[in-house]
Amino acid sequence: MPLDILIKLLSSIEEPLWIHDRFGQLAWTSPRARQEDRVPELPSPLPKQPEPCGISGQPGFWLMGITGELGEWLLVQKANLPWRMAIFDAECLVANTCGWQELFGTERPRLEPVSERRVRLKAPFSGLAEARAAGVDDKVLIALRRLQPINLLSRDRFNAQIDELLLEESVDGSIDGGIIYLSLTHLEIINSAHGAERIDPLLERVAEAMSLQYRDALVCRPLGNAFALFFVGDEASLIARANELCERLVMLMRLDGKALPVTARVGISLAPQHARRAHRLMHLAELAMLHGEYDDIDVCGPLHVFSPGAHMQHLNDYRLTSDLREHLEELDLAFQPQFDLASGEAVGVEVLVRWDHPELGTIGPGRFIPLAEQYGLIGTVGARVMDTALSATRDLVTPNGKPLSVAINVSAQEFRDPGFPERVSEALARHDFAPERLELEITESSRVPDLDRVVERLTGLIERGVRLAIDDFGTGFASLLYVRDLRACRLKVDQRFVGSLDHDARDRAIVSHAISLADSLGMEVLAEGVETAEQERLLVEMDCHLVQGFRYARPKRLPELVGWLKRKPSIHPCP
């Protein structure tokens, strides 16, 4: 009976089945048994079993021979690895294997007794003679050959067999197929909780189970936390297979009868649409998986099929970020004035960063700031912006002679950096800038899960007079938490609400309630993006006193701002 058929038969048994090794350790469980919360106790003492034997030239392995109706069995085990099995015929030649195919290739090794406690395998595998001629030791060769279950291939053999399959099929016509690349996430946390010495064998068993279940696939484990499978089929069938793999993974990742909180990301590449060679398909499947790395989905998935357009976008993003790292001096600042409606005077400016790219022209912050956050460059960009802004505005005053307040937008990643308050303090001291003139804005749509700790770090700056503001209010997920906990003194209503005040009753209600909320908490309210007289009139009726927008002044570079302030600009007061 072929071993794979035997395993399928054992797996199909409705009753749970546990198989233990000679030391009483659990070696294999049926799918039904994996759903149980218990493992049966073995009788004590354990029944007598044959003594283990060594493998000549392969330290760390031991054998156990069994004679039964199915023929001569050889069970092989190494520390932290699952069982490897082989069935020998009457002439002691290998008839079927599980875990030896890569070691022996197409040869059929013979089992020869050496002594009562030792056996030797005559196992010439492909390329051994050439390697010996080159002076490579047999033990080194065998150690480099990873013992894996049948159908579970090394990366090189995985690619070679795919190439062979694609080449054979291309003679009669193109083949539809593809690679599903599945990568486990949070494996460091799982290892920390349960110990790598327990999780590594579990992952080995998961790989073996996948190779046994998906006999119509080529299966590979390219990395410790990743699995790759090649299936024949179109895109829809591969997506269905990938979803099935995710469900299967959740079932297999069990320890001590309990399911582990598994998450994974999946990438798919297709032949021949995306590539005609296996190594390229594998690379593109990995890229598709990585393209979903920043998706805010924490489930088994997300699933991404490789897209040349998306890949090109990621390449462009990477190149743009590389340019940004090399040319931070090209960042330029613009300043948008802010006005008090009651007095009609300018009271401050908001700092807006622009990037004058030598080839692409002016690039706005909405394009490059998310990339700076993604690639870990936001701290450097933020420090550059703050230094330049404080230096440029230190001596600026309002038309009535008061020091001009300066609002700088700060990334949520910067707020969470423990060293951020110290860098702000150093910048204030370096430019002799009064703390009460500085306003740090955090976008309300930014997610700051440890808000309490952030506020605690910022306490020193707040006590010195630095002000906090909530920008883009109403666009995020935790508005009231920000208002309650951030200790902000100003709330900025997003321009998407202000822009439709004159024709959308719902937006008028939102803005009105935001102003009332801020007023009851003793906070100032500033409306962004004011463009029309009707919008201004409605804001006055709602008791909003601070505004900015094209109705009053467009963003200005520093020389233009200095000249503009000298002309003592003002707007008509609105009582």
Side-chain angles (χ1 to χ4, degrees):
M1 178 185 297
L3 184 60
D4 59 333
I5 296 179
L6 173 64
I7 292 177
K8 285 185 177 181
L9 286 174
L10 293 176
S11 300
S12 67
I13 296 176
E14 289 295 327
E15 295 298 322
L17 176 64
W18 295 268
I19 298 179
H20 295 78
D21 64 19
R22 63 184 298 274
F23 299 107
Q25 299 297 316
L26 188 64
W28 184 83
T29 57
S30 66
R32 176 67 180 84
R34 295 183 195 117
Q35 300 175 10
E36 298 285 324
D37 293 330
R38 64 183 181 89
V39 176
E41 296 184 2
L42 295 178
S44 182
L46 292 175
K48 178 67 175 177
Q49 299 190 37
E51 291 294 321
C53 304
I55 301 181
S56 177
Q58 300 190 48
F61 285 83
W62 60 270
L63 308 179
M64 183 170 66
I66 299 176
T67 301
E69 295 181 359
L70 296 175
E72 299 290 337
W73 284 62
L74 180 67
L75 297 118
V76 186
Q77 192 178 40
K78 186 178 181 180
N80 294 331
L81 289 177
W83 284 95
R84 314 299 180 193
M85 306 179 188
I87 302 177
F88 291 81
D89 60 18
E91 299 178 359
C92 293
L93 291 172
V94 170
N96 202 300
T97 66
C98 180
W100 294 85
Q101 185 181 31
E102 291 207 8
L103 184 60
F104 300 137
T106 59
E107 301 292 338
R108 296 181 62 199
R110 182 188 301 274
L111 183 66
E112 295 186 352
V114 178
S115 67
E116 291 183 358
R117 296 186 54 85
R118 296 183 63 80
V119 296
R120 179 181 57 218
L121 286 171
K122 300 175 84 174
F125 51 81
S126 177
L128 179 57
E130 293 81 1
R132 282 176 176 160
V136 180
D137 186 81
D138 285 2
K139 295 181 180 180
V140 177
L141 289 172
I142 294 174
L144 292 176
R145 291 280 190 150
R146 295 167 57 188
L147 294 181
Q148 300 182 18
I150 190 170
N151 207 38
L152 183 62
L153 309 172
S154 69
R155 187 164 185 152
D156 288 342
R157 288 184 65 110
F158 180 76
N159 289 341
Q161 292 195 24
I162 293 176
D163 284 339
E164 183 178 351
L165 178 62
L166 294 177
L167 182 61
E168 290 176 356
E169 294 292 337
S170 64
V171 175
D172 300 323
S174 62
I175 178 176
D176 287 333
I179 290 178
I180 300 174
Y181 190 98
L182 187 147
S183 177
L184 300 179
T185 59
H186 311 310
L187 195 60
E188 297 83 359
I189 299 176
I190 295 176
N191 281 337
S192 177
H194 301 281
E197 68 279 0
R198 300 190 69 197
I199 299 302
D200 287 345
L202 174 61
L203 293 175
E204 288 279 351
R205 292 195 294 273
V206 169
E208 185 170 351
M210 286 186 175
S211 68
L212 292 172
Q213 179 171 359
Y214 297 100
R215 307 299 296 181
D216 59 336
L218 298 174
V219 186
C220 169
R221 188 181 172 197
L223 296 173
N225 68 330
F227 307 96
L229 297 91
F230 179 87
F231 290 96
V232 173
D234 58 13
E235 180 177 341
S237 66
L238 262 71
I239 291 176
R241 289 279 197 170
N243 289 324
E244 180 185 335
L245 278 169
C246 284
E247 295 175 3
R248 180 67 176 158
L249 180 67
V250 173
M251 295 175 58
L252 292 173
M253 290 294 289
R254 299 178 65 89
L255 201 63
D256 299 329
K258 298 181 179 179
L260 297 178
V262 177
T263 61
R265 300 192 182 279
V266 181
I268 298 176
S269 62
L270 305 172
Q273 297 97 308
H274 300 149
R276 296 178 180 271
R277 295 298 302 273
H279 74 279
R280 182 64 178 167
L281 282 172
M282 176 78 86
H283 176 63
L284 297 183
E286 289 182 74
L287 285 178
M289 180 272 299
L290 291 173
H291 289 170
E293 183 177 353
Y294 296 97
D295 286 6
D296 197 11
I297 303 176
D298 198 21
V299 296
C300 191
L303 186 152
H304 286 262
V305 178
F306 177 78
S307 166
H311 179 53
M312 185 59 64
Q313 180 64 48
H314 281 79
L315 286 179
N316 291 336
D317 289 348
Y318 173 76
R319 291 165 183 157
L320 193 63
T321 308
S322 299
D323 289 346
L324 179 61
R325 188 183 298 274
E326 295 295 326
H327 302 285
L328 284 173
E329 69 279 358
E330 295 169 357
L331 292 180
D332 197 9
L333 303 183
F335 306 87
Q336 185 163 28
Q338 300 168 336
F339 291 85
D340 185 330
L341 284 176
S343 67
E345 295 183 347
V347 294
V349 292
E350 179 183 7
V351 177
L352 307 174
V353 62
R354 299 288 186 268
W355 180 14
D356 292 328
H357 194 282
E359 298 176 2
L360 303 177
T362 301
I363 302 175
R367 177 76 175 97
F368 67 85
I369 290 297
L371 296 179
E373 292 179 329
Q374 178 177 332
Y375 286 94
L377 195 58
I378 190 61
T380 305
V381 172
R384 166 80 180 181
V385 169
M386 183 160 295
D387 244 11
T388 305
L390 297 187
S391 174
T393 60
R394 180 184 60 184
D395 299 325
L396 295 182
V397 295
T398 65
N400 61 2
K402 293 180 180 180
L404 199 70
S405 68
V406 178
I408 301 177
N409 202 290
V410 179
S411 164
Q413 288 188 19
E414 292 181 88
F415 272 119
R416 297 179 65 187
D417 184 352
F420 175 71
E422 183 178 354
R423 289 199 297 273
V424 175
S425 297
E426 291 175 353
L428 290 171
R430 185 164 53 250
H431 299 287
D432 192 23
F433 199 94
E436 58 272 12
R437 293 180 57 196
L438 177 61
E439 182 177 289
L440 302 178
E441 297 182 354
I442 180 169
T443 302
E444 192 265 334
S445 58
S446 301
R447 295 190 176 186
V448 185
D450 49 351
L451 188 60
D452 292 341
R453 185 175 300 178
V454 168
V455 174
E456 183 180 346
R457 293 189 188 126
L458 297 174
T459 298
L461 291 176
I462 296 172
E463 291 177 348
R464 290 182 57 193
V466 174
R467 296 155 56 89
L468 300 183
I470 300 174
D471 195 14
D472 297 339
F473 182 77
T475 62
F477 301 93
S479 304
L480 296 180
L481 289 177
Y482 271 63
V483 172
R484 185 192 70 182
D485 296 339
L486 195 56
R487 294 181 60 182
C489 58
R490 179 176 291 182
L491 185 152
K492 300 183 69 175
V493 180
D494 187 78
Q495 60 184 350
R496 281 170 283 187
F497 298 109
V498 175
S500 55
L501 278 178
D502 51 358
H503 61 268
D504 194 319
R506 293 174 300 176
D507 284 348
R508 285 198 297 273
I510 291 173
V511 174
S512 177
H513 281 81
I515 294 172
S516 299
L517 174 65
D519 185 62
S520 65
L521 295 174
M523 299 173 65
E524 298 176 342
V525 178
L526 186 147
E528 300 179 292
V530 182
E531 297 184 356
T532 68
E534 180 62 15
Q535 292 167 4
E536 179 185 278
R537 184 187 67 79
L538 292 170
L539 289 170
V540 170
E541 290 180 356
M542 297 176 187
D543 288 332
C544 177
H545 302 295
L546 300 176
V547 292
Q548 71 181 62
F550 288 177
R551 173 167 171 76
Y552 312 108
R554 291 178 177 271
K556 305 177 186 300
R557 302 297 172 101
L558 182 62
E560 184 184 1
L561 177 66
V562 172
W564 181 80
L565 288 172
K566 288 180 179 179
R567 296 194 295 271
K568 296 185 177 182
S570 64
I571 62 175
H572 183 71
C574 302

